[in-house]
Amino acid sequence: MSHKAKEMISYAILVSISLIFIFPLIITVTNSFVTEMEIGLNYTTKLSLFDVLDQVSENFISMNIIPSQFSFGQYKEVLINQPSFIILLMNSIKITVPVVIGNLVISLLSAYAFTIWEWKYKEVLFFVYVIVMLMPLQAVLVPNYIIAEQLNIKESYLAIILPGIFSPFGTFLLRQGLKNMPMEYFEAAQIDGANKIQVLVYIVLPQMKSGIAALTMLTFIEYWNLVEQAIIFIKDYYKEPLSVFLSRIADGNIGVIFAASCIYMFLPFWFLIVGQKNLEKGIELSGIK
Amino acid sequence: MKKITAILLSVTMGLTFIGCNGQTSRNDTGGQPTKSQDLNESKYAPGGEVVGEITVSCYDTISYKNFLDEAAKAFEEKYPGTKVNIETFSQMPDVKSQTVGGKTIMVIGKGEDNAQATDDYINKINTELMSGEGADIIAIDVIPYYKYVDSGQLENLNSYMELDESFQINDYFVNIFNAAKYKEGQYFLPIDYTFDYLSFDSSLFSESEQKPLLENDLFSYEQLIELGQQPYLNVNKVGEKDQVEMFGIFAQELFNKMWKENYNQFIDIEARTVNLNDGDFANLLNKVRDYEDRGYIKQGTKNKLGEASMGAFEKNKLEQYFYKANSSFSLLQFLNKDSKRKFGSTSQGNQENDIIAGQIEGNDGVVPYTYEQAYGLNSNSTNKTTAWAFMKFLASEEMQTSLNLFGIPVNKNALAEKTKLDITGQLFEPAGNELKTTELTSEQLEIYNNYMKVLGELSDRINTFFVQDTTINSIIDKEVENFFNGSKTSEEVTDILQNKIELYLSE
Amino acid sequence: MKSKRFDSTLLFILPGLVGFVIFFIWPFIISLGYAFVDQPVNGVFVGVQNFVDLFRNKAYLKGLMNTLIFMSISIPLNMFLSLGIALLVNKANKHKEAFTLLFLIPLVIPSGSTVFFWKMLFAYDGYLNYILSIVGITKINWLETSYVLFVVVLIFIWKNLGYNMVLILAGLNNIPKEYYEAAYVDGAGRFQCFRHITLINLLPTIILVLIMSIINSFKVFKEIYLITGNYPHSSIYMLQHFMNNMFHSLNYQRLATATSILVLMIAVITQFLFKMERKVSR
């Protein structure tokens, strides 16, 4: 009984904290079904003619959770009237997917190597991996540009994708996870005559399931939201990712901001839900074989 | 662990050493200068061949893009073997559907002035420039140009203008160029200019009251208000609702104009000092509020009732004001009542009885101007000869008569030509494709002579281009709004501004 | 035999290492090089002059101070909250995935619309002041007074809690179940289990989270700028503002100098954390 009560309390805490977290989401989703005109009225402190007649002197921004008039107008505007939106969405996918896959493979190999490597200075090298990750973005934009110039990839997605693939964060994350793995696992496998690739696939991979899930999730989100690099490397606006477009929307086109955000969020959500399950299942299967 | 620290340190030292080597090896073409400032003083090398590819970069405003496209085409024709790329900042066109009379139409427009996009553009330009690359010519539009000068990214054009024999300085309004100098260097070339001139409504002043306005050329806002006090009392009856205002603008707009007239008193960018808290700035704020309370200017704030309807526009056209600060755009229209030119400041109210008084001056006789278009030469450019040739071309008679250049041409010959075309109406409806001046009728000639005389007088008084900083201006704009909407006192506002701008300039 | 084994490990690290050197080490070196020259293009070696100038710069010192204050409030707070919530979520048998997703929402919403949301909430005429005015409290200028620090900490935690939680959950799942079973057999209590198994084994993850929190405390400023502008209230003028503005002013050498000092400082902290990790795991 007391066990159940405890569980109830922890649920209550979780639910109430979650509510704070999803409040912006709720606003975004419900407001995406509001007409553009209502948004114009709600999100402004300008007094309308009616306010002046009613002698209202102050006007607050109002956030309505329930729209006073349900409408698909914003979605229609975004999806049908602005075909460029779909192009930008595709661009986002073209940048994000290669980074997620490439980074996962590279990080997995490197993290594994760091775990089993018997080199005297591997901790120093690992430390360098972590330190370099600490560089703030502004500081590396110029060098990145110089390197992209030298490699002649300045005006292609490669200038964004390649640094993403080799980002040290994945190596760091997966290696920290592998530290929990008892060394005996590797030794036992080696005695059984498994080679290193077999150990990686059959022993390490299943163990790293949640680490890999976390890594893909976070990488996906990070590159889905990427803005700065895209601004510098991409010149043609039909090649820009959607994130760049959306980062500017708050200033002007607020009438469609909510619907645009909802569409933009849909893919990461789908990825988080469906993608994760399949990924985990895939890893489990590979472990059983 | 100590060992690791030691290794790390030596690695870092080693890396930095390599880094420095990489640094110096990239600029070993210029010999071994002792101070990099000297490198910026590169001189114009005459006799270079105008050939090859250059790039011009601008933030995509309509005026720049159209003008540059036109110029690039003409330039490529004039100098075979050249190619001019116009790079504007990529921004998604804003496609909007509107339902008009049951039909859905698509409206394609460039996004409005978007702070985020401007920021993005500057980031992009800076990355390119700091990597030692970037466009050969950079439009001085949204960029804080003095910072580019301070970090050595813009070429000093002094020697170009002196040594290039094909550039005849006397063809231009030299005071416009000189006023644009920063630390004695000509780091950018304004290719047109605009300024405000002052007019008053003669029907509201008695003859004796008009006298001081007609006799002098330069006035400060304070002087104008003083001269207007008596006429104001004569015209307006106490307690009546619709009063005739002295200026047809809101408090914050007037304040903006007034503090900018005295820019150098408050902010000195060259010396990196700011002086807002000695009381003058706060006094100015209170003074403008006092004007508002007395009914000298429009009441309320512009933000709250954004009237943009045709009705409001028509009504405004009939409105009378004592004074008007008109943009130079409308000067010709002002002197030529049946001009075919339809743009200009028609929203300024009733102009029927207006007489030009002169200009508004700031402290120490400062008469400022601004430009619509100006260009700087990237000091990293690998083809400076062609880039300079293109800049010259932009200031040449050929391009200066273009309709896409909105301001007054800096080229005197072009100004004469363009004015004639404007008066005959050909500028807007060219006979055939060629722009050719037909003979002016005696009436037209009179207008022409009058315009050139008035414009010449007004232009000659210009002596300053404020080295302004859009960041500082927007900090002030934002904060001052808090004063005029009543949420902060003038002391609070000046204190906050002093701190913020001091911090900004000390960075 | 031995050399052959060495080679095969090298094959695993090599692809990553090559890319890492090209895209991370090399930019890092280039960037550090700028700290010793007087201007970004055609600069001349000036020794440590940039470092001397930087420590005399009022704006830098202010930014550094504010950043330290901000970090010392937000990082521990965020750490405890995310650890607590991760433990709660991990215990919840039902809807575990749903809760995980919920806390990831702040990461997924595009920054443009979050910025819009926070602006509307905290503006002087915003929704929060509207609620306050109903209750009868006078309007508070959230973004222009020292209250803004709380707003920033709130946004930081809102944005990063999910990130940390995912990392911690992954760490919790990595702890082999056998450890708990063994402890249970030995008759260990719940608290002992938590202290001696959960916390100890979570240590590598906690260190990861701490380091990532430091990094993310810089990243969140994208939102902060967009809400409060480049020159916000002086209590939230951070190092990141300074660096961003340096970038805008083309003062790359000063930016590089500030960065190298920052990296040195964080390197010392990281070193300390790794040292601690090794000591505990031994």
Side-chain angles (χ1 to χ4, degrees):
Chain A
M1 195 58 199
S2 80
H3 183 70
K4 203 153 197 189
K6 256 187 195 163
E7 200 165 86
M8 288 301 283
I9 292 169
S10 58
Y11 264 107
I13 297 173
L14 270 181
V15 169
S16 50
I17 297 176
S18 327
L19 276 179
I20 301 172
F21 270 74
I22 57 169
F23 184 54
L25 182 80
I26 294 170
I27 295 280
T28 310
V29 172
T30 56
N31 276 276
S32 72
F33 296 106
V34 168
T35 56
E36 273 191 59
M37 204 160 83
E38 197 182 329
I39 287 184
L41 282 178
N42 283 347
Y43 293 98
T44 180
T45 53
K46 285 176 195 162
L47 295 172
S48 70
L49 205 59
F50 301 108
D51 293 329
V52 177
L53 292 174
D54 294 343
Q55 301 202 312
V56 177
S57 59
E58 255 186 328
N59 196 3
F60 287 103
I61 285 159
S62 47
M63 291 180 172
N64 291 351
I65 294 184
I66 298 151
S68 61
Q69 196 191 344
F70 192 83
S71 135
F72 278 107
Q74 284 188 46
Y75 285 96
K76 199 184 144 209
E77 186 71 44
V78 169
L79 289 176
I80 298 167
N81 294 344
Q82 298 200 4
S84 49
F85 192 88
I86 307 290
I87 300 173
L88 300 188
L89 193 73
M90 288 308 293
N91 293 340
S92 283
I93 294 171
K94 278 183 208 156
I95 292 172
T96 312
V97 172
V99 171
V100 171
I101 295 171
N103 184 248
L104 179 63
V105 172
I106 293 291
S107 305
L108 208 57
L109 290 176
S110 307
Y112 177 56
F114 268 118
T115 310
I116 60 166
W117 203 5
E118 285 164 9
W119 185 43
K120 217 167 143 192
Y121 299 112
K122 78 168 181 184
E123 291 304 328
V124 179
L125 183 64
F126 188 67
F127 190 64
V128 172
Y129 263 67
V130 177
I131 290 302
V132 166
M133 201 170 57
L134 302 172
M135 292 290 279
L137 186 65
Q138 290 94 339
V140 288
L141 275 179
V142 169
N144 273 345
Y145 188 86
I146 293 172
I147 282 159
E149 171 84 31
Q150 283 164 357
L151 296 176
N152 212 5
I153 52 171
K154 204 170 74 188
E155 273 161 50
S156 78
Y157 286 156
L158 281 180
I160 301 168
I161 292 172
L162 286 178
I165 286 177
F166 295 106
S167 161
F169 168 64
T171 310
F172 184 32
L173 192 164
L174 295 182
R175 195 200 167 197
Q176 292 301 90
L178 275 173
K179 280 183 181 163
N180 285 330
M181 246 179 103
M183 276 319 257
E184 298 90 60
Y185 278 33
F186 301 113
E187 280 154 20
Q190 230 136 49
I191 292 165
D192 289 350
N195 67 27
K196 287 202 174 77
I197 294 175
Q198 284 166 328
V199 174
L200 175 66
V201 173
Y202 298 121
I203 296 172
V204 176
L205 214 53
Q207 193 69 27
M208 291 305 300
K209 205 171 61 181
S210 48
I212 290 170
L215 177 62
T216 47
M217 258 191 257
L218 298 178
T219 315
F220 187 91
I221 290 168
E222 190 176 340
Y223 278 82
W224 189 251
N225 289 332
L226 158 137
V227 174
E228 282 82 0
Q229 293 95 321
I231 288 162
I232 282 149
F233 289 115
I234 299 171
K235 292 204 165 148
D236 179 359
Y237 53 65
Y238 286 108
K239 287 192 174 156
E240 272 178 4
L242 194 56
S243 48
V244 173
F245 175 75
L246 282 176
S247 74
R248 291 177 198 149
I249 208 166
D251 263 352
N253 206 351
I254 65 162
V256 295
I257 184 172
F258 296 104
S261 302
C262 282
I263 298 166
Y264 179 78
M265 282 188 290
F266 171 77
L267 213 77
F269 263 118
W270 177 83
F271 179 80
L272 293 182
I273 297 168
V274 181
Q276 284 309 311
K277 271 193 188 142
N278 287 339
L279 188 71
E280 290 193 16
K281 229 177 256 165
I283 294 168
E284 265 165 38
L285 283 177
S286 74
I288 291 163
K289 262 181 215 168
Chain B
M1 251 358 248
K2 263 180 200 156
K3 210 193 259 165
I4 293 189
T5 322
I7 292 169
L8 179 86
L9 269 178
S10 55
V11 166
T12 324
M13 297 284 269
L15 295 187
T16 17
F17 183 67
I18 299 166
C20 294
N21 277 345
Q23 200 58 40
T24 40
S25 66
R26 280 200 294 126
N27 55 272
D28 54 11
T29 41
Q32 275 303 347
T34 44
K35 221 172 153 242
S36 53
Q37 286 296 334
D38 297 345
L39 257 183
N40 293 341
E41 299 298 318
S42 70
K43 287 265 161 61
Y44 170 70
E49 202 188 347
V50 179
V51 75
E53 202 171 325
I54 57 164
T55 308
V56 185
S57 175
C58 67
Y59 181 71
D60 197 359
T61 56
I62 299 158
S63 60
Y64 276 93
K65 169 85 171 143
N66 291 349
F67 181 71
L68 284 173
D69 279 341
E70 188 190 337
K73 218 177 134 207
F75 186 78
E76 281 164 14
E77 264 166 38
K78 194 173 173 188
Y79 298 97
T82 58
K83 173 124 185 46
V84 181
N85 303 314
I86 310 298
E87 236 173 51
T88 56
F89 186 51
S90 65
Q91 206 189 334
M92 211 55 167
D94 187 15
V95 185
K96 281 201 77 83
S97 65
Q98 280 181 354
T99 315
V100 181
K103 275 185 189 164
T104 306
I105 53 164
M106 303 297 257
V107 183
I108 300 175
K110 280 278 172 202
E112 300 160 46
D113 219 9
N114 188 323
Q116 183 61 35
T118 316
D119 221 45
D120 292 346
Y121 172 72
I122 294 175
N123 274 341
K124 185 185 152 225
I125 291 276
N126 287 5
T127 309
E128 289 173 359
L129 287 177
M130 289 191 280
S131 311
E133 310 211 354
D136 301 273
I137 297 173
I138 297 156
I140 313 295
D141 42 17
V142 295
I143 61 173
Y145 89 90
Y146 72 91
K147 291 179 177 172
Y148 292 65
V149 176
D150 286 345
S151 66
Q153 304 285 1
L154 290 177
E155 188 89 344
N156 186 350
L157 299 172
N158 278 346
S159 67
Y160 288 72
M161 292 161 77
E162 275 163 29
L163 299 175
D164 186 351
E165 279 161 12
S166 65
F167 187 85
Q168 287 299 324
I169 193 81
N170 291 330
D171 289 346
Y172 299 89
F173 285 101
V174 181
N175 58 326
I176 300 292
F177 289 160
N178 285 341
K181 284 188 177 172
Y182 173 73
K183 293 184 176 169
E184 310 211 322
Q186 189 89 53
Y187 291 100
F188 70 87
L189 200 64
I191 62 161
D192 65 358
Y193 65 102
T194 70
F195 58 92
D196 281 355
Y197 65 92
L198 178 77
S199 68
F200 65 95
D201 192 327
S202 59
S203 68
L204 299 173
F205 291 83
S206 73
E207 225 155 90
S208 63
E209 285 162 352
Q210 288 180 20
K211 229 180 140 192
L213 288 168
L214 292 169
E215 278 170 359
N216 296 309
D217 299 320
L218 295 168
F219 308 89
S220 67
Y221 277 100
E222 283 92 344
Q223 276 173 335
L224 290 172
I225 299 264
E226 211 185 302
L227 290 171
Q229 256 160 4
Q230 194 52 44
Y232 184 83
L233 290 175
N234 296 342
V235 173
N236 294 310
K237 292 188 184 90
V238 180
E240 212 165 77
K241 214 184 171 195
D242 281 317
Q243 306 255 339
V244 179
E245 290 137 0
M246 290 216 202
F247 294 94
I249 50 177
F250 292 100
Q252 203 178 336
E253 292 173 90
L254 179 65
F255 178 76
N256 248 329
K257 291 191 177 201
M258 287 180 81
W259 87 261
K260 278 181 189 162
E261 296 289 343
N262 299 324
Y263 202 98
N264 286 348
Q265 186 202 333
F266 298 124
I267 294 156
D268 187 343
I269 284 179
E270 277 189 44
R272 298 281 152 107
T273 56
V274 53
N275 174 31
L276 297 178
N277 52 2
D278 68 350
D280 281 359
F281 198 80
N283 284 345
L284 193 59
L285 280 166
N286 291 320
K287 202 184 270 176
V288 173
R289 174 173 282 169
D290 182 49
Y291 294 159
E292 189 188 10
D293 293 343
R294 288 169 186 236
Y296 291 170
I297 47 177
K298 287 196 174 184
Q299 312 280 310
T301 49
K302 205 180 189 177
N303 293 345
K304 285 210 168 164
L305 261 180
E307 31 183 0
S309 66
M310 275 315 273
F313 182 71
E314 289 297 324
K315 193 179 144 228
N316 195 14
K317 250 170 102 173
L318 300 172
E319 205 87 45
Q320 275 191 309
Y321 302 107
F322 284 85
Y323 303 110
K324 296 182 196 82
N326 310 289
S327 156
S328 57
F329 286 120
S330 66
L331 184 61
L332 183 57
Q333 204 178 349
F334 185 88
L335 298 169
N336 177 18
K337 299 287 184 207
D338 35 51
S339 157
K340 289 191 174 150
R341 235 169 129 119
K342 284 290 172 265
F343 59 86
S345 51
T346 33
S347 62
Q348 277 278 337
N350 185 345
Q351 291 188 316
E352 235 163 82
N353 302 307
D354 276 11
I355 295 174
I356 294 177
Q359 276 142 301
I360 290 166
E361 73 172 333
N363 276 5
D364 312 325
V366 156
V367 182
Y369 80 97
T370 55
Y371 54 76
E372 290 293 307
Q373 293 191 34
Y375 298 90
L377 182 57
N378 181 354
S379 53
N380 305 327
S381 166
T382 48
N383 195 353
K384 284 181 188 159
T385 314
T386 311
W388 167 243
F390 187 69
M391 284 175 74
K392 257 189 328 187
F393 187 67
L394 295 177
S396 72
E397 214 179 316
E398 187 177 350
M399 281 316 298
Q400 291 264 301
T401 46
S402 163
L403 191 54
N404 286 321
L405 188 69
F406 296 147
I408 300 166
V410 286
N411 187 315
K412 286 178 176 169
N413 301 333
L415 173 67
E417 178 75 9
K418 205 173 181 177
T419 307
K420 284 179 192 164
L421 290 168
D422 201 338
I423 291 172
T424 58
Q426 283 165 300
L427 192 61
F428 303 95
E429 297 151 19
N433 286 330
E434 281 290 290
L435 281 175
K436 230 187 223 164
T437 330
T438 47
E439 281 297 302
L440 297 178
T441 63
S442 61
E443 256 170 58
Q444 286 172 335
L445 197 63
E446 198 184 316
I447 294 169
Y448 170 79
N449 287 333
N450 189 20
Y451 174 74
M452 293 304 272
K453 184 176 148 261
V454 174
L455 182 67
E457 279 171 11
L458 293 172
S459 299
D460 284 345
R461 290 190 204 118
I462 291 172
N463 53 26
T464 308
F465 175 82
F466 288 124
V467 182
Q468 292 197 9
D469 185 304
T470 43
T471 314
I472 292 179
N473 292 357
S474 69
I475 293 174
I476 291 184
D477 260 7
K478 235 178 95 189
E479 199 56 48
V480 161
E481 206 184 316
N482 290 330
F483 172 75
F484 286 109
N485 69 19
S487 64
K488 281 182 190 163
T489 67
S490 58
E491 280 74 29
E492 281 170 341
V493 167
T494 37
D495 278 353
I496 290 172
L497 282 176
Q498 177 74 22
N499 286 336
K500 275 193 183 179
I501 298 171
E502 218 170 59
L503 188 72
Y504 172 73
L505 289 171
S506 72
E507 269 178 349
Chain C
M1 183 68 190
K2 201 168 183 185
S3 69
K4 202 180 168 191
R5 215 179 69 190
F6 183 71
D7 277 348
S8 72
T9 312
L10 214 59
L11 282 180
F12 286 96
I13 191 123
L14 214 55
L17 193 61
V18 169
F20 178 69
V21 168
I22 296 174
F23 292 105
F24 288 86
I25 297 280
W26 188 229
F28 182 73
I29 294 168
I30 294 177
S31 167
L32 282 181
Y34 281 106
F36 298 93
V37 292
D38 67 344
Q39 59 182 41
V41 177
N42 300 328
V44 169
F45 184 76
V46 290
V48 292
Q49 190 56 41
N50 287 334
F51 291 86
V52 175
D53 287 346
L54 192 67
F55 279 108
R56 286 191 190 137
N57 190 300
K58 257 166 62 188
Y60 174 73
L61 295 176
K62 188 174 195 70
L64 189 66
M65 210 46 224
N66 283 339
T67 306
L68 291 178
I69 293 170
F70 170 73
M71 281 184 167
S72 57
I73 298 172
S74 61
I75 292 179
L77 197 62
N78 193 21
M79 194 69 219
F80 285 117
L81 276 175
S82 50
L83 187 63
I85 290 178
L87 288 171
L88 280 179
V89 169
N90 203 36
K91 281 238 180 71
N93 296 323
K94 283 176 252 167
H95 315 303
K96 193 168 163 181
E97 276 163 3
F99 279 122
T100 315
L101 280 179
L102 269 178
F103 287 102
L104 280 175
I105 285 169
L107 290 173
V108 182
I109 300 182
S111 63
S113 57
T114 45
V115 166
F116 184 72
F117 173 82
W118 292 116
K119 259 189 188 165
M120 294 294 119
L121 192 64
F122 288 111
Y124 191 55
D125 290 319
Y127 194 57
L128 194 62
N129 277 341
Y130 169 67
I131 295 171
L132 289 183
S133 77
I134 292 175
V135 189
I137 301 170
T138 47
K139 292 202 273 187
I140 294 172
N141 201 339
W142 292 103
L143 300 178
E144 294 288 333
T145 52
S146 41
Y147 287 108
V148 70
L149 187 62
F150 296 103
V151 175
V152 171
V153 170
L154 177 82
I155 295 175
F156 173 75
I157 290 176
W158 178 79
K159 179 99 185 170
N160 281 295
L161 200 121
Y163 193 98
N164 289 355
M165 194 196 69
V166 168
L167 293 177
I168 295 173
L169 277 177
L172 285 172
N173 284 329
N174 268 342
I175 303 173
K177 298 275 175 293
E178 295 86 0
Y179 289 3
Y180 289 102
E181 283 156 19
Y184 190 70
V185 171
D186 291 348
R190 283 186 131 222
F191 179 73
Q192 278 173 310
C193 272
F194 177 72
R195 230 196 106 197
H196 294 289
I197 300 173
T198 312
L199 269 192
I200 297 291
N201 284 291
L202 208 56
L203 198 68
T205 307
I206 290 176
I207 284 166
L208 171 80
V209 170
L210 273 176
I211 291 172
M212 290 319 289
S213 289
I214 296 173
I215 296 175
N216 284 335
S217 73
F218 283 102
K219 274 190 189 157
V220 81
F221 281 95
K222 195 162 92 191
E223 272 94 359
I224 307 284
Y225 295 135
L226 296 177
I227 297 169
T228 58
N230 281 11
Y231 295 90
H233 187 264
S234 65
S235 67
I236 56 157
Y237 179 87
M238 308 271 179
L239 264 189
Q240 194 68 354
H241 287 96
F242 178 77
M243 290 185 183
N244 203 50
N245 294 336
M246 283 301 101
F247 193 85
H248 254 234
S249 312
L250 297 109
N251 204 333
Y252 194 69
Q253 66 284 5
R254 191 172 286 166
L255 168 62
T257 314
T259 310
S260 45
I261 291 172
L262 183 76
V263 167
L264 200 73
M265 278 161 63
I266 303 180
V268 172
I269 298 171
T270 311
Q271 172 98 55
F272 169 76
L273 289 173
F274 278 144
K275 205 169 164 182
M276 202 178 74
E277 182 191 351
R278 240 159 278 170
K279 214 177 212 168
V280 172
S281 66
R282 214 170 274 147

